[in-house]
């Protein structure tokens, strides 16, 4: 008797304490006895908050160790039966508000607990089988955040979704390659509508080399083997026989593609992500052969500034008609030449390329900004046209990336480049950033006539690269969270980060504002000083239809990468899923309007009209950059991590740590 009353008292006190404890139930004991992750434990703590009284009593009783003692005494048995029937009655007739589970929450519970049972008998069954688990009640704004079940579920579902989307990008790449292979193999570019090849880049099979490392990253061995074999069998021969090529284009697409393929296929104990195609040494030898000829653009010039062109077969440099080189072109060779020196052990490539930067360092600038032309004859800038679009863009990109490539140390002999980069970004923020009316989109305009001339509210799509560069410059490839934790972000970095995010938004809206969902080559922006009537993008439901102006001559789309490039970098750095969503939206528009049934993708003449008129060209950078960045955007961040690689301006990844 003494034993019985003790037992009953213990059960009762346990019931009282369980009721009182409610949400405060110990998570420690639970996590000790069950193989739960921390997320599960948080979830479990939350789910006990809204149990009905009947559930609290039943659950506490069923989980009590004392129940075995109760069964051994007759009073206990009687009370137990009474309790069971009472609880069963309550369960069959009463539905607590806490039992109402939303569809999403039910789905969220399924994997862990089986399908929800909704009838009374089922409820009783459920009660006996396991402790009832109710999801936490979340405020509407907490849905999908880190703290809720929605997020755990979303994580799983989202992961599956991004894997599927990544596969779609891979399918697109295969479709693009199949068109090129069928109609243009060995030519620079595919004309997907007329089913021809074209050789506007000098005839080195630029698409083959530009696409190769994308195929490696996507793991498409068949394409790696086809492209690699073509390179092994044809490229060196072409290099020794072809005529005039542009130094910059050939360096970023062909030399960059070869070097990246060299590293990714295992050269220099590189990544070895593919076993298809030739040995890495083939890529390196071909790269050296090409670079040896490209060096003539430097050696033929009377200054440190190289000529813009090279005749390959006789290794001679040529100035462009008019004599000037583009500033971006002469300053966008260094990542490639530095890496070639590092892996070949021959410093001549790096020495020539870095002379350009050393020289530009000494030239006068406007708050770090430089004119878009430079003379290889005088070594001086020419004109006063300042912009971050064509001919200016990648100068700013390589200031940062060459420093990152060398290890990003403040003491390195490239740290002057980082200083130039920072000064230039201050100049951009001070002189070129404006906001639109009526909705305040941030854009980067131009000063075509220098500091004393009028500001032009014009932005090339090319400028959209800057968003990614700014973010990279702020965190040096780490996530924003890591950089904040390590106290790495100063005020300037934070300002650049903000500009990066604002600019990415504007670049995305340049797509969303058009009828096709694809951006024009150039946009103008409505400001206090500048407006134009009836030149919108055609998507009247866009919030920014009055902010963005698209002139008839600028309405084409060449499948360019800059916006998705920045979305990729921003996603890696901020981990904000909106950048992935924007990238997916852009990809879907490419699929809808630029895919050619017979193979390949085409450019468009006018993104504001539906159906858009098609243009007969698939640029090499669609395979080299646009699809690669989209694929990486939807991939795990450990694939080509931003603190271990720098992407050259044509999206060819180059490892950061150089051999000394
Ligand atoms: C590419 O060749 C490179 O990204 C270059 O820096 C700019 N233009 C194209 C892509 O738009």
């Amino acid at each position: 008797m003494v034993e019985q009353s003790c037992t009953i008292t213990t059960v009762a006190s346990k019931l009282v304490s369980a009721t009182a404890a409610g949400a405060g139930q110990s998570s420690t004991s639970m996590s000790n006895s069950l193989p739960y992750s921390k997320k599960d434990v948080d979830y479990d703590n939350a789910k006990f908050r809204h149990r009905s009284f009947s559930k609290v009593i039943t659950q506490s009783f069923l989980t009590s160790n004392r129940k075995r003692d109760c069964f051994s005494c007759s009073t206990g048995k009687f009370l137990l039966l009474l309790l069971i029937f009472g609880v069963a009655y309550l369960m069959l007739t009463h539905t607590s508000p806490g039992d109402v589970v939303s569809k999403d929450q039910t789905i969220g519970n399924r994997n862990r607990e089986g399908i929800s049972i909704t009838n009374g008998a089922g409820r009783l069954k459920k009660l006996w089988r396991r402790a009832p688990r109710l999801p936490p009640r979340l405020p509407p704004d907490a849905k999908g955040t880190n703290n809720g079940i929605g997020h755990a579920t979303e994580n799983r579902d989202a992961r599956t979704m991004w894997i599927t989307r990544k596969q779609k990008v891979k399918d697109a790449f295969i479709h693009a390659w199949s068109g090129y292979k069928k109609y243009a193999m060995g030519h620079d570019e595919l004309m997907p509508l007329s089913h021809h090849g074209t050789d506007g880049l000098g005839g080195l099979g630029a698409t083959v080399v530009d696409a190769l490392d994308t195929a490696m990253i996507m793991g498409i061995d068949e394409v790696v083997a086809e492209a690699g074999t073509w390179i092994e069998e044809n490229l060196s021969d072409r290099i020794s026989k072809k005529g005039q090529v542009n130094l910059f284009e050939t360096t970023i697409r062909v030399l960059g593609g070869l070097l990246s393929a060299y590293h990714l296929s295992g050269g220099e104990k590189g990544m070895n992500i593919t076993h298809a195609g030739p040995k890495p040494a083939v890529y390196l030898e071909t790269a050296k052969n090409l670079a040896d000829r490209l060096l003539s653009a430097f050696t033929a010039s009377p200054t440190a500034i190289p000529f813009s062109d090279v005749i390959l077969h006789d290794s001679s440099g040529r100035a462009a008609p008019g004599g000037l080189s583009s500033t971006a072109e002469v300053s966008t060779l260094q990542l490639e030449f530095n890496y070639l020196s590092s892996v070949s052990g021959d410093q001549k490539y790096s020495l020539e390329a870095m002379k350009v930067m050393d020289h530009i360092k000494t030239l006068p600038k406007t708050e770090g900004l430089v004119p878009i032309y430079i003379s290889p004859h005088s070594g001086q800038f020419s004109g006063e046209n300042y912009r971050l679009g064509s001919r200016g863009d990648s100068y700013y990109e390589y200031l940062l990336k060459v420093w990152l490539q060398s290890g990003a140390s403040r003491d390195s002999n490239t740290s002057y480049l980082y200083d130039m980069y920072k000064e230039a970004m201050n100049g951009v923020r001070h002189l070129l950033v404006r906001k639109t009316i009526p909705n305040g989109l941030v854009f980067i305009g131009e000063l075509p006539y220098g500091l004393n001339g009028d500001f032009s509210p014009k932005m090339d799509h090319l400028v959209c690269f800057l968003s990614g560069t700014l973010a990279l410059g702020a965190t040096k490839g780490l996530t924003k969270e890591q950089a904040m934790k390590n106290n790495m972000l100063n005020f300037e970095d934070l300002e650049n980060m903000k500009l990066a995010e604002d600019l990415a938004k504007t670049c995305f809206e340049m797509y969303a504002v058009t009828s096709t969902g694809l951006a024009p080559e150039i946009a103008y922006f409505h400001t206090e000083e500048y407006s134009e009537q009836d030149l919108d993008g055609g998507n009247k439901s866009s919030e920014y239809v009055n902010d963005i102006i698209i002139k008839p001559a600028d309405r084409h789309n060449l499948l360019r990468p800059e916006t998705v490039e920045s979305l990729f970098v921003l996603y890696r750095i901020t981990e904000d899923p909106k950048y992935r969503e924007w990238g997916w939206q852009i990809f879907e528009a490419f699929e809808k309007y630029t895919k050619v049934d017979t193979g390949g993708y085409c450019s468009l003449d006018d993104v504001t009209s539906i159906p858009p008129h098609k243009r007969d060209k698939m640029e090499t950078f669609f395979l080299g950059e646009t699809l690669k960045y989209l694929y990486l955007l939807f991939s795990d961040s450990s694939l080509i991590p931003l603190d271990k690689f720098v992407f050259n301006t044509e999206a060819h990844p180059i490892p950061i740590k150089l051999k000394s």
Side-chain angles (χ1 to χ4, degrees):
M1 194 61 200
V2 173
E3 190 197 335
Q4 279 169 11
S5 62
C6 274
T7 310
I8 291 162
T9 314
T10 316
V11 171
S13 64
K14 172 119 183 168
L15 293 180
V16 171
S17 71
T19 314
Q25 177 146 342
S26 160
S27 63
T28 333
S29 61
M30 199 177 293
S31 57
N32 283 345
S33 58
L34 296 171
Y36 282 174
S37 70
K38 169 87 172 68
K39 259 190 209 149
D40 291 329
V41 172
D42 292 345
Y43 163 67
D44 282 340
N45 286 341
K47 80 188 175 234
F48 281 105
R49 279 178 203 141
H50 302 292
R51 288 178 300 168
S52 65
F53 182 70
S54 62
K55 287 193 176 179
V56 171
I57 291 178
T58 318
Q59 189 181 20
S60 299
F61 181 79
L62 290 172
T63 53
S64 165
N65 288 333
R66 295 292 175 186
K67 62 182 180 280
R68 281 183 297 277
D69 302 334
C70 279
F71 282 118
S72 64
C73 79
S74 54
T75 313
K77 277 178 190 160
F78 173 72
L79 286 173
L80 172 71
L81 279 173
L82 210 63
L83 192 60
I84 290 170
F85 281 118
V87 170
Y89 175 78
L90 281 172
M91 290 300 298
L92 290 168
T93 55
H94 170 78
T95 302
S96 79
D99 284 334
V100 180
V101 180
S102 77
K103 186 167 169 259
D104 288 351
Q105 289 164 337
T106 307
I107 292 166
N109 285 339
R110 257 176 209 163
N111 287 342
R112 214 175 306 166
E113 301 176 27
I115 296 189
S116 291
I117 298 158
T118 49
N119 62 44
R123 239 181 273 130
L124 186 57
K125 207 161 127 195
K126 191 168 74 171
L127 179 72
W128 281 106
R129 278 194 179 156
R130 57 182 166 71
R133 295 180 170 190
L134 301 180
R137 279 190 186 150
L138 299 172
D141 62 349
K143 274 182 194 157
T145 67
N146 285 337
N147 306 319
I149 180 177
H151 187 69
T153 310
E154 253 173 28
N155 269 348
R156 213 173 24 246
D157 292 349
R159 224 172 292 137
T160 313
M161 180 179 81
W162 291 115
I163 290 171
T164 310
R165 290 179 171 185
K166 188 173 74 164
Q167 180 59 41
K168 299 256 185 239
V169 178
K170 190 167 166 176
D171 294 344
F173 178 86
I174 291 169
H175 183 79
W177 175 262
S178 75
Y180 171 76
K181 189 180 131 188
K182 215 178 336 172
Y183 304 115
M185 189 70 190
H187 290 283
D188 282 336
E189 283 162 321
L190 167 69
M191 298 170 75
L193 306 178
S194 60
H195 298 167
H196 286 107
T198 172
D199 285 327
L201 293 161
L204 298 180
T207 292
V208 180
V209 197
D210 225 1
L212 174 59
D213 64 357
T214 307
M216 288 179 175
I217 289 167
M218 292 180 176
I220 314 172
D221 281 355
E222 204 183 320
V223 176
V224 175
E226 285 162 0
T229 306
W230 185 90
I231 288 169
E232 185 171 26
E233 291 173 358
N234 301 284
L235 191 50
S236 280
D237 185 54
R238 295 258 180 118
I239 288 168
S240 59
K241 292 189 178 135
K242 286 290 176 183
Q244 189 158 337
V245 295
N246 175 277
L247 168 67
F248 159 79
E249 297 292 1
T250 310
T251 298
I252 65 168
R253 300 184 202 219
V254 184
L255 185 61
L258 288 168
L259 291 171
S260 178
Y262 169 70
H263 182 79
L264 296 180
S265 63
E268 194 221 4
K269 298 200 182 78
M271 274 184 76
N272 220 345
I273 61 173
T274 183
H275 295 292
K279 292 197 168 54
V282 169
Y283 301 126
L284 182 58
E285 283 313 307
T286 315
K288 279 198 288 183
N289 179 12
L290 178 60
D292 285 343
R293 292 162 196 273
L294 294 179
L295 276 179
S296 60
F298 298 85
T299 50
S301 165
T303 69
I305 303 303
F307 288 147
S308 73
D309 292 332
V310 164
I311 314 291
L312 286 174
H313 62 77
D314 64 3
S315 291
S316 59
R318 285 278 162 88
L324 297 174
S325 296
S326 297
T327 304
E329 291 192 2
V330 301
S331 56
T332 309
L333 311 161
Q334 289 68 22
L335 286 178
E336 299 81 354
F337 280 71
N338 286 347
Y339 184 60
L340 181 57
S341 278
S342 162
V343 292
S344 69
D346 191 338
Q347 292 310 305
K348 68 181 175 194
Y349 310 106
S350 179
L351 284 174
E352 288 297 342
M354 290 306 287
K355 271 187 210 163
V356 181
M357 300 312 229
D358 294 344
H359 176 76
I360 291 181
K361 177 186 161 195
T362 66
L363 299 179
K365 306 176 185 69
T366 301
E367 299 193 25
L369 305 180
V370 294
I372 60 169
Y373 288 108
I374 190 163
S375 164
H377 301 287
S378 67
Q380 300 299 307
F381 287 123
S382 175
E384 282 195 276
N385 193 342
Y386 297 93
R387 67 177 182 225
L388 276 87
S390 62
R391 300 182 190 277
D393 48 6
S394 46
Y395 162 74
Y396 304 96
E397 181 185 355
Y398 271 38
L399 289 181
L400 175 71
K401 287 185 173 177
V402 174
W403 176 68
L404 290 178
Q405 176 191 37
S406 72
S409 157
R410 300 309 306 267
D411 309 321
S412 81
N413 55 2
T414 58
S415 64
Y416 73 93
L417 295 173
Y418 182 53
D419 294 337
M420 286 161 72
Y421 165 78
K422 285 191 301 175
E423 191 194 355
M425 291 308 107
N426 291 344
V428 167
R429 290 201 313 274
H430 182 213
L431 298 174
L432 301 181
V433 171
R434 295 283 193 285
K435 278 191 178 177
T436 64
I437 52 173
N439 292 307
L441 282 177
V442 170
F443 69 96
I444 294 175
E446 302 181 359
L447 287 171
Y449 307 104
L451 257 191
N452 299 321
D454 284 346
F455 174 86
S456 167
K458 160 184 179 264
M459 188 169 92
D460 295 351
H461 182 273
L462 288 167
V463 178
C464 292
F465 85 94
L466 188 69
S467 163
T469 298
L470 282 163
L472 191 65
T475 70
K476 326 291 182 281
L478 299 181
T479 64
K480 191 174 170 190
E481 202 187 347
Q482 288 166 336
M484 301 269 265
K485 260 189 209 147
N486 298 343
N487 259 334
M488 283 170 56
L489 302 183
N490 59 28
F491 182 68
E492 229 171 78
D493 293 325
L494 290 171
E495 280 192 320
N496 285 343
M497 231 8 254
K498 171 87 175 76
L499 177 56
E501 298 216 46
D502 288 345
L503 182 60
K505 159 99 179 138
T506 304
C507 289
F508 170 68
E509 297 302 342
M510 281 167 64
Y511 285 74
V513 82
T514 71
S515 315
T516 56
L518 290 169
E521 177 73 358
I522 296 167
Y524 285 76
F525 296 91
H526 187 186
T527 63
E528 297 289 350
E529 297 82 27
Y530 183 85
S531 71
E532 295 251 14
Q533 295 304 308
D534 302 323
L535 292 177
D536 61 67
N539 176 10
K540 303 289 182 199
S541 61
S542 159
E543 193 187 334
Y544 300 99
V545 69
N546 296 318
D547 297 66
I548 301 177
I549 296 159
I550 307 177
K551 300 190 181 186
D554 306 332
R555 292 181 174 166
H556 48 294
N557 179 297
L558 306 182
L559 310 165
R560 283 198 192 277
E562 290 75 19
T563 296
V564 295
E565 166 185 351
S566 285
L567 297 180
F568 153 66
V569 177
L570 276 178
Y571 176 69
R572 286 278 177 100
I573 286 174
T574 66
E575 301 176 300
D576 186 336
K578 81 176 173 211
Y579 295 117
R580 275 184 157 179
E581 289 296 345
W582 291 354
W584 177 249
Q585 220 169 293
I586 291 171
F587 175 73
E588 283 194 303
F590 278 130
E591 283 291 286
K592 188 164 179 188
Y593 291 111
T594 70
K595 189 169 188 171
V596 179
D597 286 346
T598 49
Y601 289 75
C602 64
S603 305
L604 300 178
D605 277 338
D606 184 354
V607 292
T608 68
S609 69
I610 289 183
H613 190 262
K614 293 180 169 174
R615 197 178 270 197
D616 196 10
K617 177 80 114 38
M618 180 173 76
E619 301 278 347
T620 77
F621 47 69
F622 185 60
L623 291 93
E625 297 195 70
T626 310
L627 293 177
K628 182 187 288 149
Y629 282 131
L630 282 164
Y631 185 82
L632 289 171
L633 172 62
F634 304 151
S635 296
D636 196 274
S637 296
S638 59
L639 183 59
I640 318 288
L642 286 180
D643 58 345
K644 305 237 165 13
F645 289 88
V646 272
F647 288 85
N648 86 338
T649 196
E650 190 74 8
H652 298 302
I654 292 178
I656 277 179
K657 286 220 172 75
L658 292 173
K659 277 192 293 186
S660 56

